[in-house]
Amino acid sequence: MIIAGNILMVIGGVFLLLGGFGVLRMPDVFNRIQAGTKATTLGAFSLILGVGFVHPQWLLKLILIIVFIAITNPVGSSVLARAAYKKGAYQYKKEGEERSEVK
Amino acid sequence: MKKGISTFLALWAIWILIAGFNVTEIILGGAVALILAFIVSKYVNYSFGFSIVLGALKFVFVYIPVFIYKLVIANLDMAYRVLSPKMPINPGIVKVPTEIKNDFGKLVLANSITLTPGTLSLDVEDGHVLVHWVNVKGSTEEEYKKEISKDFDKILGGIIK
């Protein structure tokens, strides 16, 4: 149980690190938000669940925290991306790619 | 009366989740939830019926596993795109049609789209979700829908009317 918890925590940490790389490497604001949101959501889930395995008496509360993260995290990033879209932020295009944009 | 009982149950469940399983906590929480339910129940407009409990069970056992699976795939996909030196991305903004009418259903659908591989929902309009997609495939709305939200649309349509 404790070993499984520790493994989950390491996996969570790795995903959070990858999220950080994603935010650094991606070319425009939308792709950065994407990398950030996905990695932090699963990373936080995994990390919190790992803590729950190590301390089983906290498990219910930690699951409640996971539920709130699952509700709020995508909403937050969606709102940020919407604001950037309405403002007309720079959109990266693959070279030589022409596409009619949705208005 | 039904509203009062629903409010009482919801408040009590949240109290027990936060305070932990413990005889004194359960009794005290029950008392406080009862008093609050009397005061608040005039202002709420929902109530638990058998169908809602059934819907919630379906939601947990049918929707959540699909969601977790998609979330893990999304992360592996994102890790691949971030780590590969060439960055294989082809981003664009597309419109995806949906049949879900209910507000809560739309919220869950938009959140699910955000957390599944390579997509980020920007805005919800009548019958459409505006989606930013890292790797655009296809060129018509039906193709987009097939790739992005078909599974979720089907499952959520069955649970939330």
Side-chain angles (χ1 to χ4, degrees):
Chain A
M1 207 60 175
I2 286 177
I3 294 170
N6 286 330
I7 290 171
L8 272 178
M9 280 196 256
V10 170
I11 292 173
V14 169
F15 274 123
L16 290 173
L17 182 70
L18 286 176
F21 273 133
V23 173
L24 267 179
R25 286 203 63 199
M26 286 298 185
D28 71 357
V29 61
F30 301 105
N31 289 305
R32 285 185 172 163
I33 290 174
Q34 288 230 26
T37 317
K38 294 192 179 68
T40 51
T41 310
L42 191 69
F45 282 8
S46 180
L47 200 70
I48 291 170
L49 211 61
V51 174
F53 275 14
V54 176
H55 296 278
Q57 72 272 27
W58 298 346
L59 197 58
L60 277 178
K61 285 173 218 176
L62 293 172
I63 286 174
L64 206 62
I65 294 175
I66 287 182
V67 170
F68 280 121
I69 290 178
I71 296 169
T72 54
N73 210 343
V75 173
S77 53
S78 202
V79 170
L80 284 176
R82 181 166 178 264
Y85 175 70
K86 295 247 149 132
K87 186 97 196 302
Y90 162 71
Q91 282 182 39
Y92 171 84
K93 287 265 174 52
K94 206 174 168 188
E95 277 168 39
E97 186 84 7
E98 288 293 326
R99 191 179 302 113
S100 58
E101 283 304 318
V102 180
K103 275 281 168 287
Chain B
M1 193 59 208
K2 211 176 169 190
K3 281 181 190 172
I5 293 171
S6 306
T7 316
F8 169 69
L9 285 177
L11 289 173
W12 202 17
I14 292 171
W15 178 291
I16 290 171
L17 272 179
I18 291 174
F21 284 107
N22 184 327
V23 179
T24 52
E25 292 287 2
I26 288 174
I27 294 169
L28 183 64
V32 174
L34 200 63
I35 296 165
L36 273 180
F38 266 117
I39 300 168
V40 176
S41 60
K42 272 181 249 164
Y43 307 105
V44 299
N45 61 352
Y46 65 90
S47 61
F48 295 152
F50 185 66
S51 62
I52 288 193
V53 174
L54 208 66
L57 280 179
K58 251 193 200 165
F59 185 79
V60 168
F61 287 104
V62 179
Y63 175 74
I64 299 285
V66 176
F67 174 72
I68 299 276
Y69 168 74
K70 289 251 179 188
L71 182 58
V72 172
I73 298 286
N75 274 273
L76 295 179
D77 178 75
M78 191 45 83
Y80 159 69
R81 285 182 205 288
V82 166
L83 289 180
S84 89
K86 274 188 179 164
M87 291 236 294
I89 60 175
N90 175 22
I93 292 177
V94 300
K95 247 182 181 180
V96 181
T98 172
E99 272 122 46
I100 294 172
K101 298 275 187 293
N102 173 300
D103 277 349
F104 178 70
K106 277 184 193 162
L107 171 73
V108 176
L109 180 74
N111 273 6
S112 309
I113 287 174
T114 298
L115 291 177
T116 46
T119 50
L120 171 69
S121 47
L122 295 182
D123 206 349
V124 181
E125 293 152 5
D126 312 323
H128 284 284
V129 186
L130 209 56
V131 173
H132 178 261
W133 198 355
V134 164
N135 198 6
V136 176
K137 289 177 218 149
S139 54
T140 65
E141 291 190 347
E142 284 306 310
E143 278 174 338
Y144 296 151
K145 186 180 175 183
K146 203 175 150 209
E147 287 284 334
I148 293 177
S149 67
K150 201 162 165 240
D151 300 348
F152 288 128
D153 226 34
K154 212 161 70 185
I155 296 171
L156 287 175
I159 297 170
I160 301 157
K161 290 279 155 26

